[in-house]
Amino acid sequence: MLNEYNPHLEYKGGELYLEGLSLKALAEQFGTPLYLYSASYIRERLRAYKKAFPEALICYAVKANFNPHIIALAKEEGAGADIVSGGELYASLKAGIEPSKIVYAGVGKTLRELEYAISSDILMFNVESFMELDVLDELAGKLGRKVRIAIRVNPDVDPKTHPYISTGMKKSKFGVDIKTAKKEYEYAGRLKNLQVVGIHCHIGSQILDVSPYIEAAQKVVELYYELVRSGFEIEYIDMGGGLGIKYSPDQSNPEPADLAEAILPAIKDTKAKLILEPGRSVVGNGGVLLTQVQFLKDKGHKHFVIVDAGMNDLVRPAMYSAYHHIVPVEKKERPYVKTDVVGPVCETGDFLALDRELPLVERGEYLAVLSAGAYGFAMSSHYNLRPKACEVLVEKGSYRVIRERESYEYIIG
Ligand code: LLP
């Protein structure tokens, strides 16, 4: 069952292993909370994208996990990067991603960030408003550059996912509707320091049923032909990211090939190169968060397992009521009890699981929180002044620390 999350995750002799390494031994060596990532898994997912979309440029969405060593895996597998900040540009360049494979989205790019990205000569800016067009044009002029842009359009399809991560609908702050987009394209076409080269859209995240992509691709391709008829040379159609992953036992890990079946029929007759920006579906199930049981507490009707990882380490359960599967690192025969797995943070919302049937665990045991590779460490914070976790990358029986555990001195100075 665990191998449906990640084929490199398995129990052997009653103990959990990732890529042949004992999780208990790693937890003892590096302490907890500890993020572990499986390099083979991440490479396999990138290869699956490449195989399903041989002609496309795959730009790994750095926001899912910005560790430069993780970005470097994407680079080694031939991917580019999708970024949303100057920081992500810095990390991507540091990891060796070629600027000609970097696309930059985001509603609130600052002057400093725009300048950094223009000087780095990235592939394309995915512009989200009229005002951004003006600012970008002016800045490009000052820097003596011509800047390649796409406009982010909202095809207004319902991705049927959590409202906080639905981005392609009319009411969201992202992009513009197709009608406004046409006006923006005309406007951008008149700005002398901008070169219109693409169409961008991203409909949402954690999308398990690929049918919304069919509709989105059709709408984007309709716009493509309209723009081509108006004289634009659209070289890129960027369909964003969003493919979901298995979090709970009843879900499955959709394959990039499923996404290809939804998107490619609409795109294949255009002359544009396809860009995709997958994040979660590349790294999500490549990561596990290891945590240690500190205390057990019974309140009559409630059994609490208090662990050393909290919402500061993994905020998804608190923020989206997200389900993350949790398993003990040591597997043995024992009764199951309805459990709340909670962290040490002073918030009622600080939980990793609520009312979950879990084996009765003991103080000092380690638990593995699955599907933690995407939007885990990347969304972690120092709340309650908790140093950020250590990150370790494992591959075929070997490991390396890719981020040291923080010290109090590092945070406070
Ligand atoms: N491209 C754009 C323009 C995006 O906004 C996003 C994600 C992606 C690509 C990558 O999407 P992915 O393939 O990872 O689904 N923190 C939330 C997810 C927020 C996603 C934001 N945008 C979570 O933990 O579920």
Side-chain angles (χ1 to χ4, degrees):
M1 207 282 293
L2 287 188
N3 64 5
E4 287 174 28
Y5 286 90
N6 176 338
H8 306 284
L9 186 68
E10 58 177 347
Y11 281 110
K12 276 196 290 197
E15 254 201 64
L16 197 54
Y17 282 75
L18 184 63
E19 296 218 24
L21 291 173
S22 148
L23 297 203
K24 187 175 176 201
L26 289 167
E28 278 169 359
Q29 183 171 351
F30 294 106
T32 49
L34 176 66
Y35 272 101
L36 287 180
Y37 307 115
S38 148
S40 302
Y41 178 85
I42 295 170
R43 289 186 195 283
E44 284 156 16
R45 295 298 282 179
L46 287 161
R47 285 175 197 168
Y49 265 102
K50 206 65 218 157
K51 190 165 174 222
F53 297 94
E55 312 278 320
L57 171 62
I58 307 299
C59 290
Y60 164 61
V62 172
K63 60 179 81 61
N65 188 321
F66 55 71
N67 190 299
H69 298 265
I70 300 289
I71 308 174
L73 291 177
K75 144 92 190 159
E76 283 167 29
E77 297 302 325
D82 156 48
I83 59 162
V84 282
S85 69
E88 290 188 359
L89 175 56
Y90 176 80
S92 303
L93 294 175
K94 194 169 174 189
I97 303 266
E98 300 91 323
S100 60
K101 289 185 176 174
I102 297 180
V103 292
Y104 185 2
V107 291
K109 307 175 185 89
T110 65
L111 270 183
R112 214 173 136 192
E113 290 176 313
L114 288 171
E115 191 173 336
Y116 181 25
I118 295 173
S119 331
S120 305
D121 200 18
I122 63 165
L123 176 62
M124 187 163 84
F125 288 77
N126 292 331
V127 175
E128 310 233 10
S129 62
F130 269 108
M131 230 185 241
E132 189 185 336
L133 285 174
D134 278 332
V135 170
L136 194 54
D137 179 59
E138 197 187 320
L139 197 56
K142 268 192 204 150
L143 297 171
R145 303 281 186 117
K146 189 131 182 160
V147 164
R148 289 170 293 275
I149 65 136
I151 288 175
R152 177 167 180 178
V153 300
N154 274 337
D156 199 27
V157 300
D158 183 355
K160 302 186 189 85
T161 181
H162 192 286
Y164 284 12
I165 50 178
S166 303
T167 47
M169 292 164 81
K170 261 191 193 145
K171 60 186 180 204
S172 100
K173 71 173 175 180
F174 298 101
V176 290
D177 61 86
I178 293 202
K179 218 167 124 200
T180 314
K182 288 180 201 162
K183 291 191 189 133
E184 287 201 4
Y185 275 106
E186 278 168 33
Y187 185 71
R190 292 196 295 270
L191 296 175
K192 61 177 187 312
N193 305 309
L194 302 187
Q195 186 190 354
V196 173
V197 295
I199 305 175
H200 176 234
C201 91
H202 169 78
I203 58 174
S205 201
Q206 184 50 16
I207 299 170
L208 289 170
D209 162 15
V210 296
S211 57
Y213 283 104
I214 303 178
E215 201 187 328
Q218 283 163 352
K219 289 190 174 174
V220 165
V221 168
E222 251 172 60
L223 175 63
Y224 166 88
Y225 284 116
E226 273 188 59
L227 293 173
V228 169
R229 278 197 297 275
S230 311
F232 288 100
E233 270 184 54
I234 302 295
E235 296 170 48
Y236 302 101
I237 292 181
D238 181 343
M239 290 299 297
L243 189 65
I245 61 166
K246 177 183 179 75
Y247 280 103
S248 60
D250 59 316
Q251 290 173 329
S252 61
N253 244 349
E255 288 300 320
D258 303 329
L259 186 62
E261 261 178 51
I263 291 183
L264 290 183
I267 309 275
K268 71 175 187 330
D269 294 330
T270 71
K271 290 205 179 99
K273 184 177 175 86
L274 177 65
I275 298 179
L276 292 171
E277 305 170 346
R280 188 192 319 261
S281 53
V282 172
V283 289
N285 272 325
V288 165
L289 173 62
L290 282 184
T291 184
Q292 188 179 35
V293 176
Q294 303 301 306
F295 300 109
L296 306 175
K297 181 165 168 176
D298 261 302
K299 278 189 146 182
H301 63 295
K302 272 266 185 214
H303 179 67
F304 292 97
V305 169
I306 303 163
V307 297
D308 62 0
M311 64 192 290
N312 56 304
D313 298 296
L314 181 67
V315 75
R316 303 191 71 260
M319 196 157 163
Y320 316 112
S321 308
Y323 180 102
H324 281 262
H325 203 55
I326 300 179
V327 293
V329 161
E330 278 176 279
K331 194 176 181 180
K332 42 192 171 193
E333 276 306 313
R334 45 188 161 183
Y336 275 69
V337 276
K338 201 174 250 190
T339 306
D340 279 8
V341 181
V342 298
V345 171
C346 294
E347 297 273 351
T348 308
D350 178 30
F351 59 85
L352 296 176
L354 292 182
D355 291 326
R356 187 83 57 86
E357 289 289 338
L358 283 178
L360 193 55
V361 293
E362 293 160 28
R363 171 172 159 77
E365 264 195 79
Y366 297 108
L367 302 181
V369 184
L370 306 191
S371 320
Y375 308 109
F377 187 92
M379 293 178 80
S380 66
S381 77
H382 288 137
Y383 189 38
N384 281 193
L385 222 168
R386 296 192 168 272
K388 291 195 183 184
C390 173
E391 292 179 287
V392 169
L393 183 66
V394 305
E395 185 159 23
K396 296 187 184 142
S398 66
Y399 60 83
R400 81 197 139 100
V401 176
I402 56 170
R403 197 179 203 271
E404 300 276 354
R405 183 176 305 287
E406 290 179 352
S407 65
Y408 298 141
E409 297 76 36
Y410 173 84
I411 307 170
I412 295 303

